[in-house]
Every structure is written in structure tokens, then in C-alpha cells.
Amino acid sequence: MIRRTDTHADLDAMRAVLERVYPLFDGHAQLSVTCRADAEDRLHDIGWLPDGAKDSDYTVINPEFRGTVVEELLKKLPFPYGRTRLIRMAPKSCLSIHADSSLRYHYAITTNPDCYIMFKEGDTGTLRHIPADGHLYEMDARKTHTAINASRKERVHLVICALDRE
């Protein structure tokens, strides 16, 4: 359900971008790397998709990410991408369990061994950790899952929605 891909990017450069844009989270858990052309708040055009919107509507790379390792990574992807965001996860937190409509690709920027993706399988689940090793990880987000940060430190992933199966 999660597999390491051959696609990679410089982790130190990615962390430098995160450090530069971090204040732009402005209290939000997510920061838009890509947004819709008509977005009112282009940096926070995130969260649940608005009614009628699709991942493929997120075609504009925000200026804060142009010319960075983030844009370089997006340009070398072997699949079409759409909605892309930086997602912060607070310590000792968990997302609601859900399934998405497409594959998601995760690039862990800051994490630790106590951060997991849990896939629901019947009455049980499987925990998987995505390491911050500079590689992009494919995740079948169409399967029921959640994210768990069971640590005392924040976790930040770059999450890219694949459009090849939208």
C-alpha cells in the first residue's frame, strides 16, 4: 500500500524551503504548493475539496515554490499531478479515517519513527512509516487509512495528488 519510488529530491534543500515558507502556514495545518487559478487564498486553497472541485483543478504552482526543489520535484514526476500541499501534523494527533479518490505521493520532510500511516484492513490495521530519506513514496490512498503522529514532535510531509487515475 506504500512503496518507495525511484523519484527523489535533495532533503536538505527541501528542508530549507520548508524553513523559508513555514511562517506562511499562519495557523493552518496545510500550505498549498499548487492552487486553483481562481483561488481567493492561494496559499490556503487546501483541506477538503470544495464542491465541484477536483485535484486536477490545482494547476498553478504558487510563487513561493517556483524555482525551488519543490518545483523541480514536480517537474520530474513520471505522472501528471494536481493538488500538492505541505501538511503539518501536530504531535500526539490523528486524522479522521478516510479514503481518497486517487494515489497520493508522500515526501517526508520532517518525521520520526513514531509517525505512521495506518491502513484499515477488516477489523485490524497495518502501520507504515514513511522515512525522511529524500525519496517519494507512493501510497494507495483509495484504501481506507489515517495518519497518526504518536510522537512529541511535529511531522511535515509534501503530499502530491496523482491525476493518472482521477
Side-chain angles (χ1 to χ4, degrees):
M1 290 181 221
I2 291 179
R3 74 170 186 88
R4 183 176 136 166
T5 71
D6 292 332
T7 304
H8 56 86
D10 183 284
L11 182 58
D12 290 333
M14 195 69 75
R15 286 180 174 158
V17 170
L18 175 61
E19 185 177 335
R20 185 175 51 77
V21 302
Y22 195 87
L24 302 175
F25 276 103
D26 195 29
H28 295 269
Q30 300 182 32
L31 187 62
S32 297
V33 171
T34 60
C35 67
R36 294 171 294 154
D38 62 350
E40 291 179 28
D41 182 358
R42 61 181 175 71
L43 286 173
H44 303 109
D45 190 22
I46 36 93
W48 297 106
L49 282 172
D51 287 339
K54 300 179 298 209
D55 288 333
S56 58
D57 295 335
Y58 291 73
T59 58
V60 178
I61 297 176
N62 280 315
E64 292 78 5
F65 298 97
R66 291 184 201 145
T68 70
V69 66
V70 176
E71 183 179 32
E72 289 172 16
L73 176 63
L74 292 174
K75 285 183 175 181
K76 71 179 178 182
L77 293 174
F79 57 86
Y81 67 90
R83 188 166 56 132
T84 302
R85 35 204 171 138
L86 289 173
I87 302 178
R88 296 187 320 174
M89 189 164 200
K92 300 189 283 183
S93 65
C94 178
L95 297 179
S96 60
I97 196 156
H98 65 285
D100 298 303
S101 61
S102 67
L103 295 177
R104 301 287 194 258
Y105 288 81
H106 283 244
Y107 182 101
I109 301 172
T110 61
T111 191
N112 65 74
D114 294 324
C115 295
Y116 305 98
I117 303 290
M118 186 199 78
F119 289 93
K120 184 176 178 185
E121 298 169 357
D123 292 338
T124 63
T126 302
L127 294 176
R128 293 290 311 270
H129 172 71
I130 298 174
D133 63 3
H135 282 268
L136 195 63
Y137 284 76
E138 179 185 81
M139 175 182 145
D140 190 350
R142 298 167 300 178
K143 308 272 186 203
T144 302
H145 66 280
T146 185
I148 301 165
N149 182 350
S151 79
R152 295 176 182 261
K153 297 179 182 174
E154 183 176 81
R155 179 209 88 165
V156 180
H157 281 195
L158 175 70
V159 179
I160 304 164
C161 296
L163 299 182
D164 55 349
R165 299 188 186 166
E166 184 178 57

